[in-house]
């Protein structure tokens, strides 16, 4: 115990010395202050600091040498690009930190409400066949005679001319936002022969506000009451109250099993605190117990362990960030259909799955996930890297969002190589057998229901006709995965 205490004290003193060796000098010229901020932010907290020679604490003996080095870069962008390691696709330099203070907008789009895929016609490789994936609720398409699983082959233009859809023209004909009206001609298709059926569907593009919850229902499959939630929006926190209200509805209806269907979820980034709130909605048997653990670089980690050990742990919360009590189902099992292209998940979802697994059974339906266990933070050019209206350097507007840590669960298990699914499914849905969302006719949902009731894992048929899928309108809406961010008070050392 005494030896361990001495080792902690040694690390603490070492960090004080190394941070102080790069103490901010007010004499640094204005034209390199942004470069100075980037270097010191990376030197202090970049996860890969020990892999970059120019970020070594021994690289410069004094501020004059550092100043000379910084002067070799014409901009903050230049030095950022020089310091970031080649395989780091997560770290970002933000040109204007004022944009970060703006709330993430609620999801909206200019659409007919028809979500669709496009595949090559097996009998005529120059032609394509469209198929309906979903009809957005309360959209223009929801008021027309069209439904999931139908096929279409042509459009009718403003002059009433029929235009066959081909590989060369389908993008312009189906996705041109400048064209308000979209009229499609439907057909019957048996996997081989396409037969026009004489139906024309006239659609209009409108500004559309996506609902917080795409679809929810309760499915009774004895002896279970199963809550089914289809959630398509981002994990920014915009819809956390709506998710909490959904859990209350499920709770009031004595739901004993939960399916979270994210197959059409648009992803994007999130915060570890938001992921923790979602975890507590699923299970509340573990209030305030460790859920997520952080591991920083070899400089910052010892400091946190000595001075802020609790800041390295995110615990199961009992309330949302605004103080609202979290509604929970107290489940021991949850079934999650993955989001992303090829149903490979997103960083926020990987963190949720990995963090819950030591506590409950998390059944993953999809494919092997990407393995993004990295965490980021936003740094500002201030004495403690946090934002305040009077404390941020007024000579530039850069903010730094470096990769600073890796996530693990309470058992120190991580997921850098991805998470293996419980049930592996086809990377694309079978256009010939889509069924109705939320109903047992949906092959994917039906497979999950069978697994819940009898433990049998039988995935839906995987594109038995071997169609070549060319386009998916939902995939086009998937947001860049910005990763998982944390909010943390950083040590005021050497700034």
């Amino acid at each position: 115990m005494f030896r361990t205490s001495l080792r902690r004290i040694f690390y603490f003193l070492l960090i004080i010395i190394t941070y102080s060796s790069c103490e901010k000098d007010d004499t640094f010229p204005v034209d390199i202050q942004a470069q100075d901020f980037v270097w010191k932010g990376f030197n202090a907290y970049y996860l890969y600091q020990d892999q970059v020679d120019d970020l070594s604490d021994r690289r410069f003996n004094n501020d004059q040498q550092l100043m000379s080095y910084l002067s070799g870069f014409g901009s903050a962008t230049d030095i950022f690009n020089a310091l970031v390691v080649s395989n780091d696709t997560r770290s970002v330099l933000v040109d204007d930190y004022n944009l970060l203070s703006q709330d993430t907008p609620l999801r909206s789009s200019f659409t007919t409400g028809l979500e669709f895929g496009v595949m090559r016609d097996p009998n005529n490789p120059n032609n394509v066949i469209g198929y309906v994936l979903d009809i957005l609720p309360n959209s223009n398409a929801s008021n027309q005679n069209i439904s999931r699983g139908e096929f279409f082959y042509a459009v009718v233009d403003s002059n009433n001319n029929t235009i066959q859809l081909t590989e060369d023209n389908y993008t312009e004909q189906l996705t041109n936002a400048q064209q308000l009206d979209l009229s499609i001609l439907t057909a019957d298709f048996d996997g081989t022969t396409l037969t026009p059926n004489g139906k024309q569907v006239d659609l209009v593009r409108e500004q559309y506000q996506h609902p917080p919850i795409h679809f929810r229902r309760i499915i009774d499959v004895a002896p279970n009451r199963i809550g089914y939630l289809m959630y398509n929006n981002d994990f920014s926190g915009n819809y956390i109250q709506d998710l909490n209200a959904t859990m209350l509805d499920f709770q009031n209806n004595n739901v004993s099993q939960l399916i979270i269907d994210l197959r059409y979820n648009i992803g994007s980034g999130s915060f570890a605190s938001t992921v923790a709130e979602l975890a507590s909605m699923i299970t509340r048997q573990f209030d305030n117990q460790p859920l997520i653990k952080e591991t920083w670089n070899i400089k910052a980690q010892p400091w946190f362990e000595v001075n802020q050990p609790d800041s390295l742990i995110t615990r199961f919360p009992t309330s949302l960030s605004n103080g609202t009590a979290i509604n929970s189902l107290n489940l021991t099992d949850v079934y999650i259909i993955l989001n992303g292209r090829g149903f490979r998940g997103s960083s926020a979802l990987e963190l949720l799955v990995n963090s819950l697994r030591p506590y409950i059974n998390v059944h993953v339906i999809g494919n092997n996930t990407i393995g993004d266990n990295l965490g980021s933070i936003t740094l500002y050019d201030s004495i403690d890297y946090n934002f305040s209206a009077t404390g941020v350097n007024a000579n530039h507007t850069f903010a730094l969002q470096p990769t600073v840590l890796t996530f693990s669960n309470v058992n120190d298990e991580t997921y850098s190589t991805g998470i293996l699914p419980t049930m592996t499914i086809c990377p694309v849905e079978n256009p010939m057998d889509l069924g109705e969302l939320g109903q047992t006719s949906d092959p994917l949902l039906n497979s999950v229901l069978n697994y819940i009731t009898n433990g049998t894992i039988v995935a839906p048929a995987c594109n038995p006709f071997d169609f070549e899928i060319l386009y998916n309108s939902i995939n086009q809406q998937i947001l860049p995965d910005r990763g998982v961010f944390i909010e943390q008070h950083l040590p005021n050392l050497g700034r």
Side-chain angles (χ1 to χ4, degrees):
M1 178 67 71
F2 178 70
R3 183 174 300 173
T4 300
S5 298
L6 285 178
R7 186 181 297 115
R8 289 177 178 269
I9 293 172
F10 170 76
Y11 279 132
F12 177 64
L13 292 175
L14 178 63
I15 292 171
I16 290 287
I17 292 169
T18 55
Y19 276 65
S20 298
S21 67
C22 295
E23 186 173 357
K24 190 171 180 69
D25 189 336
D26 291 337
T27 63
F28 272 38
V30 171
D31 63 346
I32 62 169
Q33 285 180 11
Q35 291 91 314
D36 174 51
F37 158 63
V38 171
W39 187 89
K40 287 177 178 170
F42 265 139
N43 171 263
Y45 296 112
Y46 192 35
L47 181 63
Y48 311 109
Q49 182 265 344
D50 62 324
Q51 300 178 24
V52 182
D53 291 340
D54 281 350
L55 290 175
S56 170
D57 293 324
R58 295 184 175 88
R59 176 66 174 83
F60 308 107
N61 294 324
N62 51 54
D63 279 340
Q64 285 69 38
Q65 290 184 3
L66 175 59
M67 189 184 305
S68 177
Y69 169 79
L70 298 175
S71 298
F73 297 94
S75 67
T77 302
D78 291 340
I79 192 170
F80 172 87
N81 291 333
L83 295 176
V84 70
V85 298
S86 59
N87 62 343
D88 178 12
T89 59
R90 184 66 73 214
S91 296
V92 174
L93 181 67
V94 179
D95 292 335
D96 185 359
Y97 57 68
N98 293 296
L99 299 177
L100 300 177
S101 62
Q102 299 176 4
D103 293 334
T104 302
L106 296 175
R107 184 183 176 193
S108 64
S109 57
F110 190 63
T111 179
T112 63
L114 179 78
E115 301 288 13
F116 62 92
V118 173
M119 60 186 178
R120 192 181 302 279
D121 186 336
N123 289 318
N124 188 336
N126 292 321
N127 293 344
V128 299
I129 302 171
Y131 56 97
V132 180
L133 287 169
D134 192 18
I135 302 296
L136 298 179
N138 300 315
S139 67
N140 178 265
S142 69
N143 297 315
Q144 312 304 323
N145 181 23
I146 187 75
S147 59
R148 173 175 161 92
E150 291 193 62
F151 299 94
F152 56 95
Y153 68 97
V155 299
V156 179
D157 68 13
S158 57
N159 296 318
N160 209 33
N161 297 314
T162 297
I163 302 175
Q164 169 71 48
L165 293 173
T166 68
E167 184 176 8
D168 294 331
N169 73 11
Y170 79 83
T171 300
E172 178 184 358
Q173 295 298 329
L174 297 177
T175 67
N176 184 2
Q178 303 302 316
Q179 180 180 315
L180 295 181
D181 299 321
L182 174 64
S183 296
I184 59 175
L185 298 178
T186 66
D188 299 322
F189 183 56
D190 61 5
T192 303
T193 304
L194 183 76
T195 306
N197 57 25
K199 185 171 78 170
Q200 177 175 322
V201 181
D202 298 322
L203 303 166
V204 178
R205 288 185 174 88
E206 300 172 334
Q207 194 63 37
Y208 179 76
Q209 192 78 38
H210 291 256
I213 305 298
H214 187 73
F215 187 84
R216 74 183 185 198
R217 67 175 294 228
I218 295 173
I219 304 171
D220 287 308
V221 182
N224 298 300
R225 298 212 82 194
I226 302 171
Y228 173 76
L229 166 65
M230 184 171 228
Y231 180 68
N232 294 353
N233 293 320
D234 60 59
F235 294 107
S236 65
N238 276 340
Y239 306 101
I240 199 73
Q241 295 272 19
D242 303 283
L243 289 167
N244 199 36
T246 297
M247 295 304 170
L248 179 61
D249 178 57
F250 285 162
Q251 183 186 83
N252 291 338
N253 283 279
N254 300 314
V255 161
S256 58
Q257 302 281 356
L258 176 65
I259 300 172
I260 303 176
D261 189 345
L262 302 173
R263 75 180 86 175
Y264 298 152
N265 182 272
I266 61 172
S268 185
S270 187
F271 281 88
S273 57
T274 303
V275 172
E277 291 170 347
L278 293 171
S280 283
M281 291 180 195
I282 295 168
T283 181
R284 274 286 299 277
Q285 301 93 306
F286 313 101
D287 286 355
N288 297 313
Q289 293 193 38
L291 176 67
I292 301 167
K293 297 171 71 173
E294 303 169 5
T295 302
W296 293 62
N297 69 23
I298 60 174
K299 290 176 60 174
Q301 184 71 14
W303 190 94
F304 285 123
E305 289 176 350
V306 172
N307 296 275
Q308 296 177 7
D310 285 346
S311 70
L312 296 173
I313 298 173
T314 300
R315 300 178 182 275
F316 280 96
T318 58
S319 61
L320 303 178
S321 59
N322 65 357
T324 301
I326 290 177
N327 303 311
S328 176
L329 301 179
N330 299 313
L331 298 175
T332 58
D333 291 79
V334 63
Y335 303 81
I336 301 177
I337 300 174
L338 294 179
N339 61 353
R341 291 178 176 84
F343 308 116
R344 296 192 62 200
S346 62
S347 58
L349 194 54
E350 285 183 305
L351 179 59
L352 176 66
V353 170
N354 187 69
S355 302
L356 277 174
R357 275 189 161 170
Y359 294 99
I360 67 171
N361 300 312
V362 183
H363 308 270
V364 176
I365 295 89
N367 292 288
N368 192 59
T369 66
I370 296 170
D372 186 352
N373 67 333
L374 304 174
S376 302
I377 196 169
T378 301
L379 304 178
Y380 299 91
D381 192 1
S382 66
I383 194 168
D384 57 1
Y385 292 106
N386 292 318
F387 180 83
S388 65
T390 58
V392 175
N393 189 339
N395 292 321
H396 68 83
T397 59
F398 287 102
L400 186 62
Q401 294 182 323
T403 301
V404 295
L405 56 84
T406 59
F407 291 114
S408 58
N409 61 28
V410 67
N411 292 338
D412 296 319
E413 298 163 333
T414 189
Y415 48 97
S416 58
T417 57
I419 295 173
L420 292 174
T422 310
M423 179 190 297
T424 301
I425 61 176
C426 191
V428 296
E429 294 179 277
N430 178 9
M432 299 303 302
D433 188 20
L434 291 175
E436 183 179 352
L437 290 174
Q439 304 295 326
T440 55
S441 61
D442 170 12
L444 182 50
L445 174 58
N446 193 54
S447 294
V448 179
L449 293 173
N450 286 333
Y451 174 53
I452 292 174
T453 54
N454 57 38
T456 303
I457 299 178
V458 180
C462 186
N463 195 8
F465 289 88
D466 197 28
F467 295 124
E468 182 182 355
I469 308 299
L470 302 176
Y471 181 85
N472 181 310
S473 67
I474 299 173
N475 282 351
Q476 305 308 307
Q477 300 170 58
I478 294 177
L479 299 173
D481 190 343
R482 298 180 60 247
V484 179
F485 280 73
I486 57 103
E487 296 176 300
Q488 193 145 308
H489 292 294
L490 300 175
N492 182 6
L493 300 173
R495 288 293 291 170

